[in-house]
Amino acid sequence: MNDTASSLLAKVESHDALVGIIGLGYVGLPLALAFAERGFRVLGFDVDPDKVEALRLGECYIKHIDRSRVQAAVESGRFEATSDFDRLDEPDVILICVPTPLGSHREPEMRYVEGSAWQIRNRIRKGQLVILESTTYPGTTDELLVPILAGTRADRRQTDTARQPETAEEADPRRDGGNRPASRRADSPRPTDANERQPLACGKDFFVAFSPEREDPGNARFGTCNTPKVVGGVDQVSGDLAEALYAQVMETTVRVASARIAEASKLMENIFRAVNIALVNELKIVFDRLGIDIWDVLDAAETKPFGFMRFNPGPGLGGHCIPIDPFYLAWKAREHGVSPKFIELAGEVNMRMPEYVVERLSIALNERGIPVKGSHVLVLGLAYKPDVDDPRESPAFEIIDLLLGRGAEVSYHDPHIPTAPRMRSWPDLPPMASVELTASGLQAIDAALIVTDHHAVDYELILEHAPLVVDTRGVLRHRNGKVRRA
Ligand SMILES: NC(=O)c1ccc[n+]([C@@H]2O[C@H](COP(=O)([O-])OP(=O)(O)OC[C@H]3O[C@@H](n4cnc5c(N)ncnc54)[C@H](O)[C@@H]3O)[C@@H](O)[C@H]2O)c1
């Protein structure tokens, strides 16, 4: 380890290192709080001025994160949020937690990661450790991040605005970036243009690693600090430094030999889930044809103490990870001439589920002599999983779209999502707001459709007053004749 690395290691171990976090969403914010709560100073960066403003006021925009944690971190002076990316030269360590969605052809959309890399590159200084946490295809850290940071990739214009399409200034032109907080450290060098910079060497002057985020929002048992953290560096020293950093905050760190292994391990975990969910969704359809309840089958199968892991069927995949991440690997595999069949097949089966649910609902309405057209359906749950306020990729939107397309009147109830956000994939959905659950309201609908099994929903009230309940989550199993599985 050279002097640059040794002095960074000393700062990390004494908790004197300033931790920068780019992207203060579901992943970045809990991570920022974890570091601040362990005594690190944290500087969070986000392009969304509303988020930055909320955090500065000690407020929290993520429901399952206790506001008091944000307030305490801000009041302690250890956590500050900013949209001023010129301050990226201040942190000793920078964690990148920006989105990695899919493009319109299911290809990796890397512009957020790339944008962050250029932002860092333009301010990079000797002695910084950069760790990518966003889920991505194996090779991203080595092939995309390092060349940009090292200045060996110059295929984009080197001006700030061209480099970062997602800045706060661009999101809101009134913010001209001239509001640099007075707290900027006096000893931090002023940023200069990347063209004027001497190239810095990765592994010597700056350090790079990948560590996949395993955040499971709403999980009461496993949070940021007690979920083992996989870490892989692009070289030995980078890996050592990243491992040392996480060891200050996480109960368990799992060191792997390379960034690529760390990247691949995250995809392995999510592909495993996607494939198993597809399997159980398919078996649900098969067993239903055979007159067998999948939930009874699962209860029996999971009594096997070895060799079986339970996955539950549902109305389709949701969230930022499972519907998206597998295709990152499929894309990379195709680049190398391999076509991973399980990933594509699982995607196909899971993507058909909303259609299946609507079909089952149509049959149940038909049994009562009610056509879908003109029927009133109450969708229960908009979030992609129980007890969270996250609607991303939720199958509820496709189900609503299909029902509206067939002429149904649709309303929804979700205790965690008071108004339906505008979704990029469903731009034509009408604005909707969560309706109250009342006896008279339930009596006025034709069917309630359970899409998300939030615990805060009064299912007994629904069972008592709704004329028909179609259940995709096994909430009302073995209940009276008005419940249908889907
Ligand atoms: N949400 C999860 O449960 C979860 C779990 C594991 C891994 N991940 C992965 O972590 C990454 C982040 O996911 P997330 O759920 O936190 O996303 P998110 O959308 O909740 O948060 C991302 C944040 O980054 C900000 N942002 C976007 N572009 C930016 C830029 N160029 N510079 C600075 N900030 C920028 C956005 O404003 C937003 O606040 C993704 O790769 C995701 O796949 C997410």
Side-chain angles (χ1 to χ4, degrees):
M1 213 177 251
N2 64 16
D3 288 350
T4 309
S6 302
S7 92
L8 178 56
L9 181 62
K11 274 186 174 179
V12 162
E13 287 178 340
S14 61
H15 294 201
D16 284 332
L18 176 64
V19 177
I21 298 188
I22 305 184
L24 299 169
Y26 285 89
V27 164
L29 183 57
L31 206 56
L33 295 176
F35 276 98
E37 285 161 2
R38 293 293 192 284
F40 284 90
R41 286 172 308 122
V42 178
L43 184 55
F45 297 83
D46 205 291
V47 288
D48 184 340
D50 295 338
K51 284 186 178 165
V52 169
E53 190 54 26
L55 293 173
R56 284 177 171 226
L57 296 171
E59 286 164 9
C60 184
Y61 40 79
I62 297 179
K63 193 160 191 161
H64 65 269
I65 297 176
D66 202 339
R67 177 177 180 240
S68 64
R69 290 181 65 201
V70 177
Q71 217 166 2
V74 171
E75 279 168 11
S76 72
R78 284 199 296 273
F79 177 41
E80 186 190 354
T82 182
S83 296
D84 181 0
F85 287 79
D86 277 349
R87 298 186 66 192
L88 274 169
D89 60 342
E90 292 180 38
D92 301 294
V93 177
I94 300 172
L95 309 179
I96 304 175
C97 306
V98 294
T100 44
L102 287 176
S104 52
H105 300 289
R106 285 207 219 150
E107 77 286 4
E109 171 60 272
M110 298 308 294
R111 72 186 177 119
Y112 303 95
V113 172
E114 233 181 294
S116 301
W118 282 109
Q119 287 280 22
I120 299 168
R121 164 63 197 158
N122 199 34
R123 288 95 181 170
I124 198 163
R125 63 171 168 81
K126 221 171 161 179
Q128 284 185 314
L129 166 65
V130 179
I131 307 175
L132 181 60
E133 294 232 2
S134 302
T135 307
T136 185
Y137 58 84
T140 306
T141 311
D142 286 321
E143 296 162 9
L144 188 141
L145 191 57
V146 171
I148 293 176
L149 297 182
T152 53
R153 200 184 119 166
D155 56 344
R156 290 178 66 162
R157 280 188 54 215
Q158 299 281 301
T159 62
D160 262 6
T161 43
R163 197 170 302 123
Q164 176 59 317
E166 297 291 320
T167 55
E169 297 89 271
E170 199 167 310
D172 179 354
R174 288 164 302 176
R175 299 173 71 88
D176 62 5
N179 57 346
R180 171 188 288 266
S183 59
R184 182 187 163 81
R185 278 193 347 217
D187 58 343
S188 304
R190 303 256 344 154
T192 56
D193 190 278
N195 283 330
E196 297 165 15
R197 293 176 167 276
Q198 292 297 315
L200 296 177
C202 181
K204 250 177 72 191
D205 301 320
F206 71 94
F207 309 93
V208 182
F210 182 84
S211 179
E213 184 48 60
R214 283 169 159 171
E215 186 71 19
D216 184 15
N219 189 324
R221 190 161 163 227
F222 291 107
T224 308
C225 298
N226 66 349
T227 305
K229 193 88 171 101
V230 172
V231 190
V234 299
D235 51 63
Q236 181 68 31
V237 179
S238 294
D240 290 348
L241 289 167
E243 188 182 9
L245 174 80
Y246 290 117
Q248 311 304 315
V249 172
M250 312 295 171
E251 284 174 19
T252 313
T253 53
V254 182
R255 177 70 179 276
V256 296
S258 66
R260 277 169 202 273
I261 294 175
E263 289 161 337
S265 73
K266 172 70 185 179
L267 294 183
M268 170 97 214
E269 291 163 16
N270 284 351
I271 291 165
F272 174 78
R273 278 188 65 72
V275 168
N276 279 287
I277 291 169
L279 176 66
V280 79
N281 276 335
E282 184 161 84
L283 291 180
K284 167 176 83 167
I285 297 171
V286 172
F287 288 143
D288 199 73
R289 285 282 169 88
L290 302 179
I292 300 167
D293 185 341
I294 181 80
W295 300 97
D296 290 340
V297 177
L298 285 166
D299 286 352
E302 79 170 342
T303 59
K304 186 179 180 186
F306 47 86
F308 181 80
M309 183 182 285
R310 180 175 178 142
F311 286 84
N312 291 325
L317 292 182
H320 193 332
C321 298
I322 313 296
I324 292 170
D325 302 348
F327 295 106
Y328 268 64
L329 186 63
W331 175 85
K332 190 68 178 172
R334 277 198 298 276
E335 199 181 271
H336 289 259
V338 196
S339 182
K341 295 190 179 53
F342 268 107
I343 294 175
E344 300 291 351
L345 183 61
E348 226 174 87
V349 172
N350 287 326
M351 275 192 275
R352 273 206 312 263
M353 293 317 295
E355 191 102 37
Y356 173 77
V357 167
V358 170
E359 199 51 43
R360 298 285 300 172
L361 172 69
S362 310
I363 292 169
L365 284 168
N366 192 49
E367 282 170 6
R368 284 158 180 72
I370 303 171
V372 177
K373 190 173 172 121
S375 65
H376 185 173
V377 179
L378 173 66
V379 169
L380 294 163
L382 214 54
Y384 79 92
K385 70 172 190 174
D387 307 333
V388 299
D389 61 349
D390 188 349
R392 287 178 296 175
E393 310 293 328
S394 172
F397 292 96
E398 183 168 359
I399 289 171
I400 291 172
D401 187 59
L402 288 168
L403 286 170
L404 290 172
R406 292 182 192 192
E409 265 178 58
V410 185
S411 54
Y412 86 90
H413 171 77
D414 190 312
H416 305 294
I417 305 182
T419 52
R422 254 190 113 59
M423 305 298 284
R424 203 170 45 141
S425 312
W426 311 105
D428 298 331
L429 286 183
M432 295 173 89
S434 175
V435 297
E436 287 293 307
L437 280 189
T438 61
S440 58
L442 288 164
Q443 284 156 11
I445 62 171
D446 294 302
L449 174 62
I450 301 175
V451 172
T452 316
D453 44 343
H454 289 307
H455 288 98
V457 170
D458 187 348
Y459 295 104
E460 292 306 318
L461 185 78
I462 294 162
L463 194 58
E464 194 181 335
H465 297 287
L468 168 68
V469 185
V470 177
D471 182 3
T472 69
R473 298 283 189 177
V475 177
L476 295 171
R477 295 167 56 193
H478 309 301
R479 303 305 287 264
N480 68 30
K482 64 165 79 158
V483 180
R484 291 284 177 278
R485 292 189 298 267

